[in-house]
Amino acid sequence: MTSSRASDERLIQALANSVAYITAACGFKSDDLAAAMERAYQELGEPPELEPSETSPRPVHRQLAKVLSLWASSQDYTDDLGDPIPIPKSGPAPSLEHLFRQAKRLFNESAQSITYADAMDLLQGHGAIVETADGTYMPGKTLEVNVHPIGSVAPFMALSYLTEYAQTTEHNIRTRVEHNESAPTYFQKVASTENFPITALPKIRAMLDGEGVAFLRQVDRFIETAARTAADDEKRVFVGVGLYMLRSDGDRFSTSQGMTVVSDDTEDGE
Amino acid sequence: MTNKNIEDVDALVEALADAISYVTASCGVSSNKLNAAIQRSYHELKDDDTLQGEKGPVRPSHRQIGKIVSFWRASSVYTDELGEPSPIPMNGPPPSLHHLFNEAKAQFNESAQTITFADAIDILMKNGAIQETDEGTFVLVASIKGAALNVHPVGGVAPLPLLSYIVEFAQTIAHNIRCRTKYRENPPTQFQMVASTEKFPQSMLPRVEAMLDSEGMQLLRRVDQFIETAAINAPEDEKRVFVGVGLYLLRSDGDRFAKPSLNEVNE
């Protein structure tokens, strides 16, 4: 078994553990869920056609985002106003090469690391960095921080986000079941309405693209600065903050609910 | 429990299975592999005495309670010149809690079991979301997290509503992957983003939680006010849809995809 296959197996088992716990807490038996899964797989028919690279567990997007986060949060790479400064591709600090080496120290050690050359190719290819007239580089308009849109990353990454969300939910149920109402849970909150006017959808999306991303950038800057400036011998943990939008046009839990609406309806377009 | 309620709960698990199977199939995971993993997990859970869940009805009472509070904050009849919720009596013509409940009730999901006015007031009082003043009116207590608006702490509600949150989250991910496979360029995905690090110093965890409790809550309150105001003010004949915005913390002390340690649960 290759290391990436092992990672794949662990991720699936972790998702299964959380889903089993959550559904068992709601009174379901294993056969209920297994039968539902079997039906769902049968109805799915042919799996979606994806590029082989898209099913890879390499956490490339997180590593690329880390490089850009460091650029946005490090004192050596920002100006007096805290904005990222233009930097050359190679050479001593500040440079992209040096920035990459520093970011690499923050990568998950158990994950396969992207190479510097591949990172530069991908960052330029995604428009995440752009070359200026004088040959230096600046962050581009996309992937500006360690805030990556899940829809734009490979399905395997999306699966890890789903697993992480399931783990947060499982943790919160465990806390409630095994302890008491006042035991500390992980932050997990939702604001929702069943009666949102369809014509106002672009406004809520704009709100998330504006205020939502601004908040996540603030979080990102804080967690990256903390990660970089803490003492070397301090215990480190994984921390993430996620923001997402839910939407459904009809019955939220039917098999044909709003998630399949991917046609050219203007209110959902970007 | 009525048959309809059973159907609702089962629909939730069917929807979860649909979304998860789509996401895992996209990653090349076979149904056999996923089902085997689920069976293993269930097998390990079978001796867990703390798990005594019953397949009960989906009673979205927390969402309905949240709706009442949201309405109080968003409606011009129930707020002062500064937009702050006004003190109101329990009964009588508007503005009153009873009238507020009836107005909010019109916004409840019609297919869901509706909470009664008495139960709603009981829950609001017990959660400290409302308080009686010396004059006998009631005020909304803004400092109560979650209960003070239509932003409910997922950890503070029963497992069944939690199941619906994970279904919705999985549906959003499945939707975004579908868009990615159908529209290679500029897919019309739902907003879904994460900021994360594997190297966060443990001693600073309270500061991230504080950030979510203050700035995160402020963001959700603005979202809540916006969506509720839009729901109230739109023409009655306009098509309505379900919309939600969720904010959550991910955390793991060691191997992120290992089973949670007891220490982590017991903190």
Side-chain angles (χ1 to χ4, degrees), chain A residues 10-14 16-17 19-20 23 25-28 30 34 36-41 44 48 50 54-55 62 66 105 107-109 146-150 152 155 158 161 164-168 171 173 176-179 184 186-199 201 203-205 207-209 211 215 218 226-227 230 234-249 252-253 255 257 259 261-263 268 270, chain B residues 9-15 17-18 20-22 24-27 29 31 33 35 37 39-42 50 53-55 63 67 107 109 145 150-152 154 157 159 162 165-166 168-169 171-173 175 179-181 183-184 187-205 212-213 215-217 222 226-227 230-231 234 238-252 255-257 259 264-267:
Chain A
R10 286 170 59 253
L11 190 56
I12 293 300
Q13 190 60 58
N17 290 343
V19 168
T23 49
C26 296
F28 286 92
S30 63
M37 284 289 181
E38 201 60 51
R39 276 194 297 276
Y41 262 99
L44 202 57
L50 294 161
E54 293 183 317
T55 58
R62 283 195 176 172
K66 194 71 66 186
R105 288 165 44 203
F107 291 170
N108 180 3
E109 284 150 16
N146 187 19
V147 173
H148 21 113
I150 294 176
S152 78
Y161 286 117
E164 287 161 355
Y165 186 85
Q167 287 178 328
T168 292
H171 170 91
I173 295 179
R176 181 185 164 84
V177 167
E178 297 176 11
H179 301 278
Y186 295 161
F187 190 100
Q188 190 181 21
K189 298 188 182 193
V190 174
S192 66
T193 179
E194 311 250 357
N195 292 295
F196 194 73
I198 198 164
T199 56
L201 280 170
K203 285 187 181 169
I204 187 79
R205 178 63 198 233
M207 192 176 198
L208 290 173
D209 285 338
E211 290 181 54
F215 173 68
Q218 185 187 344
E234 182 165 349
K235 187 181 175 194
R236 306 302 177 110
V237 294
F238 168 75
V239 158
V241 171
L243 183 68
Y244 62 100
M245 179 174 164
L246 308 166
R247 185 195 144 183
S248 172
D249 289 1
R252 279 157 56 206
F253 302 123
T255 53
Q257 60 87 49
M259 71 179 180
V261 181
V262 290
S263 57
D268 199 15
E270 288 188 331
Chain B
V9 180
D10 286 340
L12 213 51
V13 166
E14 293 282 347
D18 284 343
I20 287 179
S21 62
Y22 186 85
T24 49
S26 302
C27 298
V29 178
S31 63
K33 185 188 280 188
N35 266 338
Q39 293 292 348
R40 274 194 297 276
S41 306
Y42 263 103
T50 61
E54 288 184 14
K55 196 159 67 166
R63 287 199 174 173
K67 190 73 61 190
Q107 305 265 333
N109 179 3
K145 283 189 292 184
N150 187 20
V151 176
H152 20 108
V154 179
V157 299
L162 276 174
Y165 286 117
I166 189 173
E168 288 162 353
F169 187 85
Q171 285 178 332
T172 299
I173 286 197
H175 169 89
C179 288
R180 182 185 167 84
T181 56
Y183 302 89
R184 288 277 159 179
T189 54
Q190 310 285 21
F191 186 99
Q192 195 170 31
M193 292 190 179
V194 172
S196 66
T197 179
E198 312 247 358
K199 307 273 184 182
F200 193 74
Q202 189 174 31
S203 65
M204 295 187 78
L205 280 170
L212 286 168
D213 284 340
E215 286 101 323
M217 281 299 290
R222 285 196 296 275
F226 173 76
I227 62 178
E238 184 171 346
K239 186 182 174 191
R240 305 302 177 111
V241 295
F242 168 76
V243 159
V245 172
L247 182 66
Y248 61 100
L249 175 72
L250 306 168
R251 194 192 136 182
S252 173
D255 181 350
R256 276 160 56 208
F257 299 124
K259 296 184 78 170
E264 192 180 343
V265 174
N266 284 345
E267 70 178 341

Side-chain angles (χ1 to χ4, degrees), chain A residues 57-128:
Chain A
R58 286 179 62 197
V60 166
H61 281 78
R62 283 195 176 172
Q63 294 177 356
L64 290 179
K66 194 71 66 186
V67 175
L68 295 163
S69 278
L70 202 63
W71 199 345
S73 64
S74 170
Q75 206 172 5
D76 296 339
Y77 286 87
T78 50
D79 61 20
D80 297 342
L81 298 172
D83 292 325
I85 56 172
I87 52 176
K89 195 169 221 170
S90 51
S95 72
L96 274 168
E97 192 178 9
H98 180 262
L99 186 68
F100 178 79
R101 280 204 303 272
Q102 290 218 290
K104 204 172 167 184
R105 288 165 44 203
L106 297 170
F107 291 170
N108 180 3
E109 284 150 16
S110 64
Q112 189 180 345
S113 280
I114 190 171
T115 65
Y116 171 65
D118 283 350
M120 290 307 108
D121 277 352
L122 285 166
L123 286 169
Q124 280 193 279
H126 280 88

